[in-house]
Amino acid sequence: MRKLLLMLLLVIGQVAHADFLSENRGHWEGTGSLPSGLEWPV
C-alpha cells in the first residue's frame, strides 16, 4: 500500500512540475530585482 501511495505522489509531483514549466516558457528580457536592491539581467 505504501508503494502505491509513493508512486501516486511522485506522479502528481511530476504533473505539477510540468505545468509550472509550461507556464514559464518563452522569451524573457529585462531586469530581475530583489527588495535588497540586487539586480541582474534577464
Side-chain angles (χ1 to χ4, degrees), residues 6-19:
L6 178 60
M7 288 175 29
L8 182 60
L9 289 174
L10 287 172
V11 168
I12 291 171
Q14 290 297 321
V15 170
H17 183 69
D19 286 343

Side-chain angles (χ1 to χ4, degrees), residues 14-28:
Q14 290 297 321
V15 170
H17 183 69
D19 286 343
F20 174 77
L21 289 178
S22 66
E23 291 175 6
N24 292 299
R25 286 188 184 159
H27 179 79
W28 292 60

